Amino acid sequence: MTLTELKYIVAVARAKHFGHAAEACYVAQPTLSVAIKKLEDELGVVLFERGGAEISVTPLGAQIVAQAERVLEQTAAIKELAKQNKDPLAGPLRLGVIYTIGPYLLPPLVKGMIAKVPQMPLILQENFTVRLLEMLRQGELDAAIMALPLPDHGMAMQALYDEPFVVAMPAQHPWTKRKTIPADDLKTENMLLLGNGHCFRDQVLEVCPEMARFSAPGNGMQRTFEGSSLETIRHMVASGIGLTVLPRASVPDMNTTEGMLQFRNFDAPQPSRRVVIVWRKSFTRKAAIDAVCEVVAACDLPGITTLCADA
């Protein structure tokens, strides 16, 4: 039994698909499949039920996978303990960021970290929330910046800032005459949303649940259109296809009268998201986390409210 094999079975249990698990582990599918079969033969048990489009975990397999997760976390803890007597601010920090935060936070964050702790370069990874949490559990990341709510994760967590949402519309849209926009009015408009997998999409659907009905298949003509990134959607709005909801930090100037876009705040209470940093409880370089928090607080992102309390 090897740590690599344990990593593979955890990945398959989470992905419920050998191909997707192999991609997550950066190996070829035959390599992963052979390793898992070898482990099953060694243990004399069946961990996964094969067949159909989705792989399922056997009852005993679920117990073994849970133990494997604990072993992998403890392995990461051993590596961290080995660094305990060294400078926690020396050496790279592997930091994950979700897609809808990275483009707006990372430029000032990286610049601030270079100025504050040049001996601690950031190794950055942009991805979806679920994937970043998986990388944290497996010790592939040291910390990650994402938005609440999060699935059950068992990590340490600290709030960084609250960020309101704003409405973006074409410059010629009649709503540009309004000062603020009621959230309920969005259901009358063609809306542009991020695709499935983006937590920001789910947060926007909470603002206007009617969008979820229109974006579901089988409801006739779709009233919502999906894009792969906020910047793609921004260009689609500028072309007059519809409206969208953006995080405030992505809008440097709310009062601009130039260009093809206009932005408006929502009516009070303004919808928002809380951005947090999470890390494994066994991670010993707390000073490195504190340094990130201090630099984020100094980034002066537009429209955000900096927080210092534990989330």
Side-chain angles (χ1 to χ4, degrees):
M1 184 186 306
T2 67
L3 291 175
T4 298
E5 291 167 351
L6 297 184
K7 179 180 177 181
Y8 289 168
I9 66 171
V10 168
V12 171
R14 289 175 180 161
K16 294 183 169 57
H17 190 282
F18 279 92
H20 296 163
E23 291 176 7
C25 295
Y26 303 103
V27 297
Q29 182 175 334
T31 300
L32 179 138
S33 299
V34 168
I36 291 178
K37 185 63 169 64
K38 173 179 173 290
L39 180 59
E40 288 180 321
D41 291 343
E42 179 183 341
L43 297 177
V45 300
V46 176
L47 300 174
F48 304 103
E49 294 179 4
R50 284 89 163 165
E54 189 173 277
I55 302 298
S56 60
V57 187
T58 64
L60 179 58
Q63 297 180 49
I64 292 174
V65 167
Q67 185 63 38
E69 289 177 328
R70 289 191 286 270
V71 170
L72 292 172
E73 183 174 344
Q74 290 303 312
T75 301
I78 290 172
K79 294 178 180 178
E80 293 300 332
L81 285 171
K83 302 174 184 176
Q84 227 171 4
N85 294 324
K86 300 179 181 179
D87 181 0
L89 297 178
L93 181 74
R94 299 168 298 171
L95 181 68
V97 187
I98 59 174
Y99 290 118
T100 58
I101 291 177
Y104 319 110
L105 174 62
L106 287 181
L109 175 62
V110 171
K111 184 177 180 180
M113 293 297 288
I114 291 173
K116 182 179 179 63
V117 280
Q119 73 275 29
M120 189 179 77
L122 295 179
I123 299 176
L124 301 170
Q125 168 73 236
E126 280 189 284
N127 218 309
F128 297 110
T129 296
V130 173
R131 176 61 182 140
L132 292 178
L133 287 173
E134 181 179 335
M135 295 177 75
L136 276 171
R137 292 189 189 99
Q138 295 183 358
E140 297 174 23
L141 288 176
D142 299 318
I145 295 175
M146 50 191 70
L148 298 180
L150 297 176
D152 186 34
H153 54 82
M155 303 280 176
M157 179 168 66
Q158 182 163 321
L160 295 175
Y161 57 85
D162 284 338
E163 179 179 26
F165 300 159
V166 299
V167 180
M169 63 193 75
Q172 70 275 15
H173 197 281
W175 285 5
T176 57
K177 298 177 182 178
R178 301 184 183 184
K179 292 185 177 180
T180 59
I181 307 297
D184 196 50
D185 284 3
L186 295 181
K187 65 185 179 183
T188 66
E189 296 290 314
N190 288 333
M191 296 299 300
L192 307 178
L193 301 177
L194 288 171
N196 286 319
H198 290 274
C199 62
F200 187 70
R201 169 196 172 90
D202 300 329
Q203 293 156 2
V204 171
L205 290 178
E206 287 182 11
V207 174
C208 188
E210 282 289 311
M211 292 185 212
R213 178 168 66 85
F214 287 122
S215 65
N219 286 318
M221 182 181 293
Q222 289 193 337
R223 289 292 304 283
T224 64
F225 301 86
E226 297 180 359
S228 59
S229 74
L230 289 179
E231 293 311 302
T232 298
I233 288 176
R234 192 190 295 257
H235 287 291
M236 293 172 70
V237 172
S239 71
I241 294 175
L243 279 63
T244 195
V245 176
L246 296 175
R248 177 64 180 85
S250 70
V251 182
D253 182 7
M254 283 287 293
N255 300 314
T256 180
T257 57
E258 300 178 357
M260 303 176 69
L261 287 174
Q262 292 283 301
F263 308 97
R264 294 293 183 271
N265 288 313
F266 281 92
D267 282 358
Q270 192 164 5
S272 65
R273 65 178 176 179
R274 174 157 294 186
V275 174
V276 300
I277 184 170
V278 298
W279 65 95
R280 291 184 307 281
K281 293 178 180 177
S282 58
F283 185 62
T284 58
R285 297 172 63 192
K286 182 57 167 58
I289 303 295
D290 292 341
V292 173
C293 295
E294 291 173 15
V295 173
V296 169
C299 281
D300 195 26
L301 295 175
I304 65 103
T305 302
T306 301
L307 304 168
C308 298
D310 289 341

